[in-house]
Amino acid sequence: MPELPEVEVVRRGLTEHVVGRVLDSVTVKHPRSVRRHAFGGDDLAARLTGLRVEAAHRRGKFLWLTFDEPDTSLVVHLGMSGQMLVQPASAPLEKHAHIIATLDDGHELRFVDQRTFGGWQLSDLVEVDGTRVPESAAHIARDPLDERFDADAVVKTLRGKQSEIKRLLLDQTVVSGVGNIYADEALWRAEIHGERPAAKLTRPALHTLLAETRTVMDEALRAGGTSFDALYVNVNGQSGYFERSLNAYGREDEPCRRCGALMRREKFMNRSSFSCPRCQPRPRG
């Protein structure tokens, strides 16, 4: 699944190539790509046609566009393989291009989704903690790259939880944007095992973890995100390459880059967790 840096790369691409453009027409080619829109593809296409894109927004992994129609937003669910590609109208159509919006500059915004877990959805905007967000994203917490992210408040919340710290890092209602890859990377940097109960971690340790989470996301963002296959791309179809810099994720039986111990892989929440047995000791008991 794409995580915050990958979604932010797409948001920046949309800001550069789509914001300010008018949607001259919208064509929905696959009904699954609009299944979250209750009124169907024809309604979505009709309501979007003629609107001018005013901004591209993101909170955590949630991505949406706003328009010159004040209360309307288009939420883009990338799912496991969704791509937002800006192409010349003359470019060959991708096999899995399920929604096509023709822009007033002659380009097309194409939603390409091989696995069809993603899609587009129109959503009303509501105000949450001083920011207007789509109603479908109202439950999502601020992310570590948000200028209004309150680390003290998040630490206070974590200190009151008995759950494992990695489980809470992945809880989008506590802190958003963090997925399995960046959780492992931040925990490795903070030298904390993901199964440590949050309530038993000190405030300084939790602040360090949140700071490392922000740092690793900043670094991934500068690299263009993490790409393990061709599915994670920006609007120009270019893959990120932060996977070359990963210290924990996917490095089972490779030496820890800090102490040299062989990295381990463990099952966690139907996923794989990677950590160093020496730098990140498991909790006792």
Side-chain angles (χ1 to χ4, degrees), residues 98-157:
H98 299 322
I99 306 175
I100 303 165
T102 302
L103 307 178
D104 62 352
D105 65 352
H107 286 78
E108 293 178 344
L109 174 61
R110 301 174 181 177
F111 181 69
V112 181
D113 190 8
Q114 178 178 322
R115 297 170 183 165
T116 64
F117 290 131
W120 287 11
Q121 173 190 15
L122 287 174
S123 180
D124 292 336
L125 291 168
V126 297
E127 186 165 319
V128 178
D129 58 22
T131 303
R132 284 169 62 79
V133 300
E135 190 171 14
S136 58
H139 63 292
I140 300 297
R142 292 189 183 274
D143 61 70
L145 298 188
D146 191 316
E147 61 182 13
R148 296 178 65 181
F149 180 75
D150 188 341
D152 290 334
V154 175
V155 166
K156 182 178 180 180
T157 297

Side-chain angles (χ1 to χ4, degrees), residues 243-262:
E243 74 274 13
R244 302 174 191 174
S245 303
L246 295 175
N247 291 302
Y249 189 85
R251 300 194 66 243
E252 181 183 12
D253 293 332
E254 295 181 32
C256 171
R257 292 190 172 126
R258 184 166 44 223
C259 75
L262 296 184

Side-chain angles (χ1 to χ4, degrees), residues 30-225:
H30 198 304
R32 273 187 58 81
S33 294
V34 292
R35 66 190 179 280
R36 295 179 179 87
H37 183 67
F39 301 103
D42 289 344
D43 178 80
L44 180 139
R47 289 175 59 186
L48 285 176
T49 298
L51 296 185
R52 182 181 301 276
V53 182
E54 290 206 329
H57 306 267
R58 179 194 56 74
R59 177 174 283 204
K61 307 174 191 179
F62 268 73
L63 175 69
W64 68 93
L65 299 176
T66 52
F67 304 91
D68 53 357
E69 186 172 299
D71 295 321
T72 298
S73 71
L74 174 65
V75 180
V76 179
H77 300 272
L78 295 176
M80 295 183 69
S81 61
Q83 302 169 16
M84 294 280 278
L85 300 181
V86 178
Q87 301 277 40
S90 59
L93 195 64
E94 294 80 6
K95 180 179 179 181
H96 301 286
H98 299 322
I99 306 175
I100 303 165
T102 302
L103 307 178
D104 62 352
D105 65 352
H107 286 78
E108 293 178 344
L109 174 61
R110 301 174 181 177
F111 181 69
V112 181
D113 190 8
Q114 178 178 322
R115 297 170 183 165
T116 64
F117 290 131
W120 287 11
Q121 173 190 15
L122 287 174
S123 180
D124 292 336
L125 291 168
V126 297
E127 186 165 319
V128 178
D129 58 22
T131 303
R132 284 169 62 79
V133 300
E135 190 171 14
S136 58
H139 63 292
I140 300 297
R142 292 189 183 274
D143 61 70
L145 298 188
D146 191 316
E147 61 182 13
R148 296 178 65 181
F149 180 75
D150 188 341
D152 290 334
V154 175
V155 166
K156 182 178 180 180
T157 297
L158 293 173
R159 289 275 294 167
K161 303 282 189 180
Q162 294 296 328
S163 296
E164 303 98 325
I165 185 60
K166 181 173 178 179
R167 185 183 297 270
L168 293 170
L169 278 181
L170 298 175
D171 185 341
Q172 304 300 296
T173 66
V174 176
V175 53
S176 69
V178 185
N180 201 40
I181 296 174
Y182 297 115
D184 279 358
E185 291 302 301
L187 288 163
W188 180 86
R189 291 174 182 230
E191 300 185 45
I192 297 172
H193 192 279
E195 292 183 12
R196 294 275 302 277
K200 293 187 177 181
L201 292 169
T202 66
R203 287 180 177 82
L206 290 170
H207 273 289
T208 295
L209 177 59
L210 293 177
E212 294 293 0
T213 301
R214 180 187 178 98
T215 297
V216 74
M217 286 183 169
D218 275 331
E219 291 177 4
L221 190 52
R222 287 196 295 271

